[in-house]
Structures are given as structure tokens and as C-alpha cells.
Amino acid sequence: RQYQDKENGLYEAKPTTAIWLLCLSATKTSALGIRSAISLVQTTLSFSAHANSSGNSPSLIHRKVPKYKGRSQIYNDTMETPNHRELTEAGDCHEIDRPHISEHEPENGEDPEMDDDSDGHSVASDESDVSVMESFNDYKLKIEHLLESIGLGDYLIEVIQHGYDFMNCVYSLTSPQSAEKYILRVATGGFFNEVDGRHETVEKEVLLLGYLKDKLPVPRIKAYSLTADNPLEAAYTVQTQIPGDSLNKLWATLDQEDKYEIVDEFVALLARLDAVQFARAGTFSAPASGAPPAQSHDFLTPEAPHINIFDEYATEPTKNQKMIHDRAGPDLKLLLVSHLEKWIQDEIDRDQHELSCAIGPRFTKLLAMLSDLETEGAFTAQPFPIVLHHCDLEPRNIMVSHASGAWKITGIIDWDDAVALPRPLARVPPRWIWHYPDEEPELEDGYLDDDQYRDPELSEENKALKAYFDTEVETVLPGYTEDAYGQGRWLRRIWRFAKEGGRRVWQWPFLDQLPEDWAARLEK
């Protein structure tokens, strides 16, 4: 259960949250999901007992949440562990044995905690319960005001998704006087930069879509605002609507030959993505020549975005030249080792020059795995090209149409999480082609195309689809299958924890399982 402190705008997750998750996971078939929930219950009860004995509230967390944060983000925040030192003092460290959550306030790469006076830029209503967004009929008046201000006053508005269940509210814009259709995306998640008031995720999307518009089938930006200084009181983009339908709605209805056509199109798309390359790995931001204007009604193509090295939870860009060099990406082993060693060193510094029972021993095992992979020749192809990675290239973000007797991929949407990665880390195999679930996966299931999950049993038709994809992609992109299923899969599994530090509860069983899987592989 969650409740909101009406005076302070705080959320508190009660211990029953963990027990509810256990009940939920028990309805699933995933053993890992059940294990994760059991671990959370154990952690919760131990921490609760310690908190009660010290006179503190028995909550898992007590964190400030910005009004515009989506429900899914609040869910992720509540899944973090209590402070490791508190567990140690309670004598439960070796029993719980779970990764530590940093005590510093995150500013980059993590869901932020906002100051009490920083949540005024909300798309929520003025009701005291800011987790409830105003009705679409009320919000529609604000959208109409916005459209008048950007020259789209004759456009009709239809809701696609509205409310805090989503990271973005999305609306369709059509006009009887124009064939051009648009999509309005209003950010309900993410955060504004405390210095210049810009929404960092929306700024990145504007920059990247502008850069890619002549390279890939992506939406084009018609208008945007990076700040809350507009009728919607939120950052937004107006993008051209890509023709066609979401593949998510169609894939299960297609016959085998139609799916083969989609696979051909998808392989061609992968080749185009692979051709968009950068000088180093990292996340995208405004180019050195300057950030785009806070608002624009006629967006022009910018130069290539600037790339920040991966440095999760840092309070400011690093000036450490060795880190900048090691994390550039062409030397993939250095990139991975740099992250793992920093997490270990952070834990040593935090725990008075001793490895605690959390990250250190686990990440030391990952370093040993990298040494084994080096012996096997996993890094002999260096330097690795740094390529564009969408991060969520699944049917829900792929638009398709059927014209002139053939299926075509008309565009790719939702570039919020795109990054630049060494090629093996970007080659996540599209398992949705041969293993598409009957329903959209639940939040705790993660992505469809997740290297953490074991390969499923396939029907003969799906085996044929996988074989067809593997043959076609290897012809167009030699070496793809080794990166996708061989050593590259292990590198991506290590990268998940090297990048994030194992800070999410649902990842813990995967972190513990990885060395076990590796040991089993070596025994074969």
C-alpha cells in the first residue's frame, strides 16, 4: 500500500507492499519472480523490526516524489532496499545479503528526488491528491489553447493514453483541412534540470529525432517545449504521426509468410541502425555549440548530439581522464571493468575500506567472468564500433503498413532511452519474432527481449521464424549471431549490472544467478 502525506508531498511504502508482491508473483510461472518477492519480504520484515526497535517508522522508504512522476516510476522507487548500514547494525546483513543503495542524492541517470517547491510544473489537477490527473475533458481545454499558440488551432484531439499510469500522455491530432497528422506527447515522468528548468528526457528526444530524421524512419518534430512555461505546464513534443499500425496489434494475427516479410524489413532496419555510429559510448545531450531553444514551432535539424560517458548517479560530469578514456567504448573490456571496479571501490570507501556483504563479492565474480571471456577471445575484435541502440525495439514501438501487396516498416517511435553502445552490447536478439507472449508482459517481467531470461521451448513455426531471421541477419550483418547468442549475450548480462550497480530489487536474483550460469557453462 502507498499513501501520500498531504502536507509534505511524501510517499511511504508500507511493509504490506512486499507481501502483496509475493502474492502477485505466486500467480506467475516465473520462479525468479517468486524469489524476488520472497527476498523483498525478508528484507522488509527485517528492516521493519529494526526500525520498530529504534523508534522509527517501519516503512521501506520515505521519499519525496515529484507531482509529475508516473505511477510506474513510483513503483520502481519503492522497490529499492533500505540502507545497508542500518541492516548491518541490526545484525541482518549476512542473512539479507542484498546490494547496497547509495545514500547520496542522485542527479543523473536515476529517478530524482525533488525539492518541496520544485513540483509546480505538474500536469496534475490542483486536487490535494497529486497522483490523480485531471480528466481528459478538462485537460483538453489546455491542449486546445496550446494548439492555437503553435498554429494548429483547427486540429481535433483524440486521447491515446492519458494519466499517470504512463511516462507520457499521448494524443492524436488530426485536421479536416490537412492531410498531415501529428502526435502530442506530454511528459508525465522524468525530471526538469534544476539549473535551467529544462526537461532532460524531452530535450534528448528532440535532439536525437532531429539528428536522425534523414537517417532512419523516425517522427519529425513540429513543435516542442522543454520547460513548463506553456499552457500544458509540462514539457511536450508535437511529432508527425508515422503512418500504419503498431506491430504490437498485428503480429499475432499475421500468417507465416507475412511474418517473413516483416523479418526482412526488420533486418534491413537493424543494418540502418548499425550504420549510425559515434565516436564514443554514452548518453545523448545538447551539442557543444549550445542547447536548442527552450521552445520552437519550426524545429531545424541540429548537429550530432553530444555524448556523455556512462557515469550513473554522478552529481556532475567527471573530469577523471582515465575514466573518460576507459569508458569511451571501443575497448569493451575497459568499459566494463571501469564500471565494476568503481562500484566496488565506492563500497569500500563507504564501508571504511572493507568490502561489505553486498556489491563487492558479487562484482568480483563478474570481473573473473570478464577474464575468462578474454581468454576465450571475446575482445580480440577491438576496437568495437559504437552504434546507435534504441533500447526498446519491440513491436509496441514498430509501425508497419501493408501496401502494394507487401508489408513495410514505416517507422520507429519512443526514442527516450536511446544510447550509443559498443556493437556487441547493442545486438540484443529480437526474441519477440519467435516468442511473442499472448499478453503484454507485466512490469516485473521486464522487456520481452531480455538476456536474463532463459530461452523458451518453441513450436515448429517459431523455430522456422528464428532460423529464417538468423540466416538473413547473418548475411546482412556478419557476426551478428555470435554477438546476439554467444559471448555477446554474457557481455550484455554483465553490462546490465556494471552500468546500474545492481540497485533494483527485481535484479538481485539475476545478479546471483549470473555466476551460477557461467559456472555451469564452463562445466559443459
Side-chain angles (χ1 to χ4, degrees), residues 25-128:
S25 69
T27 68
K28 306 292 181 181
T29 58
S30 169
L32 285 174
I34 295 174
R35 286 170 54 189
S36 182
I38 291 173
S39 299
L40 181 56
V41 171
Q42 291 173 334
T43 305
T44 304
L45 296 179
S46 298
F47 178 60
S48 177
H50 169 61
N52 282 332
S53 66
S54 60
N56 295 326
S57 169
S59 61
L60 266 177
I61 58 166
H62 203 160
R63 302 182 61 177
K64 290 180 283 186
V65 179
K67 287 183 181 178
Y68 53 77
K69 177 171 280 192
R71 188 175 71 181
S72 61
Q73 283 186 288
I74 295 172
Y75 173 93
N76 283 334
D77 285 345
T78 64
M79 294 290 284
E80 294 186 348
T81 68
N83 178 272
H84 162 72
R85 188 166 297 285
E86 290 173 327
L87 288 174
T88 304
E89 293 170 356
D92 293 326
C93 178
H94 296 289
E95 177 182 17
I96 304 301
D97 198 27
R98 291 302 177 195
H100 172 73
I101 297 301
S102 172
E103 299 177 12
H104 76 267
E105 293 294 321
E107 295 186 12
N108 293 318
E110 184 182 52
D111 297 335
E113 300 179 9
M114 305 297 290
D115 294 333
D116 289 342
D117 60 353
S118 65
D119 57 2
H121 305 315
S122 171
V123 296
S125 65
D126 293 331
E127 302 172 14
S128 59

Side-chain angles (χ1 to χ4, degrees), residues 323-363:
M323 181 183 291
I324 292 173
H325 171 268
D326 291 354
R327 298 192 178 186
D331 189 325
L332 179 50
K333 185 184 178 184
L334 274 182
L335 172 70
L336 296 166
V337 169
S338 174
H339 280 80
L340 293 172
E341 289 184 342
K342 186 175 187 299
W343 290 121
I344 294 172
Q345 187 60 48
D346 284 350
E347 186 171 74
I348 292 174
D349 294 342
R350 203 169 42 235
D351 295 339
Q352 300 180 348
H353 309 291
E354 295 180 1
L355 282 178
S356 75
C357 61
I359 293 296
R362 289 174 167 85
F363 278 23

